[in-house]
Amino acid sequence: MPGRLTALYLVLSLAGYTAAAAENSDGWPYYGRDPGGARHSELTQINADNVDRLEPAWSYRHGDLERYPERRAYAGYHVTPILLPEKAGGALVGCTPFSRAYALDPATGQERWSHDPGIELSPVATRLKCLGVAYFHDTRVSPGMDCEHRIIWGTHDRRIVAVDALTGERCAGFGEGGATDVNPLIEASHPAQPDPAGTTFSAPPVIVNGVIVIGHINNMKTQSPDSSAGIIRAFDEHDGSLRWPFDSL
């Protein structure tokens, strides 16, 4: 039930925004609405005088808890979806606790596409969550070609995936077959304890000037001093290659 209630809440809170999307072609393309994370909309259709009269327009259940019932207690549906601009399809895009991305029709809630990266679950159950995805317009791709508009996110098993925002198909020129495996970099930076079970990607990456910047959480840091460090890494948005790592230590 937590997953269903969360999805319903998102519909209620975004209903006014999606209904008036035609008035704002920019959509809600960032996790925090704009690059600065203001989380503010200038739309006025929903206000203090009518908010108590809101009714559900539709609901969406991601269904992944039924697919992984043994992980139900560890999965949290905490996503903040983004609303793409019309040129990128205008879909409402989010992700499930199991790193599956999906695109919904904002008016009806019907699923347009879904992409399951097929994460590898660790033998030891750990927290599962995906807070959101990122959108990017790749100007290095010719207009109208595949993956001109991209959805990019990090997975629970430490990969970065890029798909076409209109179809959900992998971007073939990104990493290997549409994904960059970050595990070798994590293991190389901390060979004593690569800690694959505790280190995960959950927050959406930040994309600035064609560079994907992503951090990670380490669920094991309080349990082992040898756990991997919280290194921030940047990757090329177009091909997924490593640009730079940053370690505050």
Side-chain angles (χ1 to χ4, degrees):
M1 288 304 293
R4 183 182 179 88
L5 292 175
T6 304
L8 184 59
Y9 172 79
L10 291 170
V11 171
L12 287 172
S13 63
L14 289 172
Y17 194 92
T18 55
E23 300 176 13
N24 184 354
S25 60
D26 291 336
W28 188 289
Y30 299 92
Y31 176 78
R33 170 64 176 91
D34 59 22
R39 290 182 172 269
H40 172 71
S41 170
E42 296 180 355
L43 297 177
T44 58
Q45 183 179 4
I46 299 174
N47 53 55
D49 295 328
N50 62 23
V51 66
D52 61 333
R53 298 197 298 274
L54 285 177
E55 295 180 357
W58 49 261
S59 62
Y60 171 77
R61 293 194 66 179
H62 61 71
D64 282 5
L65 295 180
E66 286 73 23
R67 296 172 59 202
Y68 303 96
E70 74 282 0
R71 303 287 174 133
R72 178 181 293 268
Y74 301 92
Y77 193 26
H78 300 155
V79 65
T80 296
I82 58 175
L83 182 63
L84 300 181
E86 288 301 318
K87 62 184 180 181
L92 194 65
V93 186
C95 52
T96 76
F98 297 87
S99 303
R100 179 173 63 86
Y102 57 80
L104 308 179
D105 185 308
T108 66
Q110 293 297 309
E111 192 172 270
R112 291 182 177 175
W113 58 257
S114 171
H115 185 92
D116 186 354
I119 62 171
E120 181 179 350
L121 295 173
S122 60
V124 178
T126 58
R127 289 181 294 172
L128 291 151
K129 60 182 176 180
C130 180
L131 301 182
V133 302
Y135 160 70
F136 189 77
H137 179 200
D138 191 346
T139 56
R140 284 184 277 181
V141 176
S142 300
M145 299 298 291
D146 292 343
C147 288
E148 177 192 1
H149 300 280
R150 303 182 176 208
I151 297 297
I152 299 173
W153 72 102
T155 68
H156 179 74
D157 58 356
R158 301 157 301 279
R159 288 176 289 152
I160 300 174
V161 180
V163 301
D164 188 295
L166 283 80
T167 66
E169 296 294 326
R170 291 274 186 105
C171 297
F174 185 92
E176 294 186 10
T180 292
D181 187 358
V182 188
N183 284 289
L185 298 176
I186 295 175
E187 294 169 4
S189 66
H190 206 80
Q193 177 65 36
D195 189 22
T199 302
T200 66
F201 295 143
S202 60
V206 174
I207 304 178
V208 182
N209 294 328
V211 178
I212 303 167
V213 182
I214 190 167
H216 62 263
I217 61 172
N218 190 332
N219 297 325
M220 305 297 288
K221 198 62 179 178
T222 59
Q223 302 180 36
S224 171
D226 291 330
S227 297
S228 58
I231 297 176
I232 298 173
R233 296 179 174 87
F235 299 84
D236 186 278
E237 186 282 332
H238 183 73
D239 61 22
S241 59
L242 180 68
R243 285 288 194 91
W244 50 258
F246 175 77
D247 187 347
S248 60
L249 300 179

